[in-house]
Amino acid sequence: MNFLGLRTLNDTMNRFEQELAAALAELEGRSLLRHLRNVDSAQGARVLIGGRSMLMLCSNNYLGLAGHPRLRDAARHALERYGVGAGASRLIAGSLDPLSRLERRLARFQGTEAALVFGSGYLANLGTITALAGKGDVVLGDELNHASLIDGCRLSRAEVRVFRHRDCGHLQVLLEQSRQARRRLIVTDAVFSMDGDCARLAEMVELKHRFDAVLMVDEAHAIGVLGPGGAGLAADLDLGQEVDVRIGTLSKALGSYGAYAAGSHMLAEFLINRARSFIYTTGLAPALAAAAEQALAILEEEPERRRLLLDNAEYLRDKLGRAGFRIAPTQTPIIPVMLGDERQALAMAAALFERGVYVTAIRPPTVPPGTARLRVTPTAEHTHADLDEVLTAFVESGRELRLIG
Ligand SMILES: *Cc1c(COP(=O)(O)O)cnc(C)c1O
């Protein structure tokens, strides 16, 4: 389909539509236009797209749980007993039991006093930051933080200071400059979502203590992946008790939807009273909570899933690197294949798609200008044969586009 053709200005459009069409045409001219792609199966190592079985290498379904029979069963049972929707905000219509159960299990999983479930990671970050920081406070965030953290900072009305990526020297300077603040809140991704590298949590904890600041860590890509039992990066570094607020999603390795903030009883109670994205939105659907609880059980019973995931990532990262692609060396399942130019990233994704491999081109504003990439993420369910197929497709496509020799 010719999308530019569709958006060519014509006089059947009213002024509003013409303005939108012009903005979209401008995006397309810069190779920044995005489209939805229809998928006709559950998420998994392979998905069905347009009647074709495609190798899926761009989901966050790290452990292959999104389509797992036990999650489906748990969701089905909760659906039978509790119905579909939660009815209203949990503060208004009551808190359905699967959510309370999940929260107890999450607190045990994170080794915290409490956990509070939100509708999504985006909502958890928005609500938590705006509850914890306001006028007179300073929020300090890594420049590559996830958009939901950035939006939370913007919405908080606190002063926002951005430090260079993983640069704790810079963070220290900014902390020194904000001594006048009522509260200083340090906010970071644990695993950076588009780069796969990890925050320097040990240094951040040290700075947090030195400057009497509060530390909030978004473990979205670390939960189910890193640390003992998949409890995340802070747990991996034995810093769980030093981090004041940990955010985790139920939507990535845990294969469901929703998210949580984990910390003290006081934190949970405060968020129940102050986090607007908790108060003014309907509770998470009970079937999703039940599925997430089941995912935590599988995580505990089948630790080999995490090993398979990390082995697969290492296997693919190593082979892509040897084939001549520019790969950042990380310890997580996120493998960024750096291409720089948006058109090249799109061309590479299209060439891979023709060869049966689904990887989306990641472009600005998701990543900084000039750093377009393919973000490749294997799951625990891919076999080495699958990954060899992926590799062949990469090598053929890379040669066709003269990206590798
Ligand atoms: C995906 C992601 C989120 C958002 O989580 P959802 O549950 O998908 O809304 C938040 N933070 C980070 C770092 C993420 O990668």
Side-chain angles (χ1 to χ4, degrees), residues 120-122 125 146 148 189 191 193 218 220-221 249 251-252 257-259:
S120 74
Y122 189 94
N125 282 334
H146 189 263
S148 56
D189 281 23
V191 172
S193 54
D218 178 352
H221 293 279
T249 55
S251 56
K252 289 171 179 162
Y257 191 63

Side-chain angles (χ1 to χ4, degrees), residues 78-79 82-87 96 98-99 102 119 256-257 282-291:
L79 202 63
Y82 296 97
V84 180
L96 290 173
L99 274 81
L102 174 62
S256 182
Y257 191 63
T282 300
L284 183 70
L288 295 171

Side-chain angles (χ1 to χ4, degrees), residues 247-388:
I247 303 292
T249 55
L250 311 174
S251 56
K252 289 171 179 162
L254 300 182
S256 182
Y257 191 63
Y260 61 91
S264 64
H265 281 307
M266 205 62 81
L267 173 75
E269 203 175 322
F270 183 78
L271 292 177
I272 288 172
N273 284 278
R274 281 297 180 81
R276 294 170 64 86
S277 66
F278 177 86
I279 300 169
Y280 298 107
T281 190
T282 300
L284 183 70
L288 295 171
E293 193 188 349
Q294 194 60 222
L296 290 169
I298 295 175
L299 198 59
E300 205 171 291
E301 291 163 34
E302 301 176 14
E304 63 276 12
R305 279 182 184 268
R306 289 193 296 124
R307 190 181 46 73
L308 283 170
L309 168 67
L310 295 172
D311 283 355
N312 277 347
E314 196 177 312
Y315 183 81
L316 193 57
R317 180 185 295 114
D318 180 61
K319 298 234 159 161
L320 284 170
R322 281 170 202 270
F325 289 101
R326 197 149 63 84
I327 314 282
T330 61
Q331 319 290 305
T332 67
I334 300 171
I335 308 172
V337 178
M338 303 305 292
L339 296 166
D341 181 72
E342 290 83 30
R343 273 161 313 177
Q344 274 186 344
L346 282 176
M348 188 68 186
L352 287 166
F353 196 81
E354 270 175 38
R355 293 173 171 83
V357 176
Y358 185 17
V359 185
T360 300
I362 306 290
R363 295 162 286 162
T366 306
V367 292
T371 70
R373 67 197 69 179
L374 299 181
R375 176 185 180 274
V376 183
T377 48
T379 71
E381 294 201 315
H382 285 103
T383 62
H384 275 201
D386 289 337
L387 299 180
D388 288 339

Side-chain angles (χ1 to χ4, degrees), residues 134-168:
K135 233 175 156 51
D137 299 324
V138 174
V139 190
L140 306 104
D142 188 288
E143 65 182 337
L144 294 188
N145 272 352
H146 189 263
S148 56
L149 292 172
I150 294 171
D151 291 357
C153 292
R154 286 180 184 162
L155 209 58
S156 71
R157 293 190 236 188
E159 185 188 339
V160 181
R161 306 297 306 268
V162 177
F163 55 91
R164 287 186 295 273
H165 183 46
R166 301 176 74 238
D167 186 341
C168 287

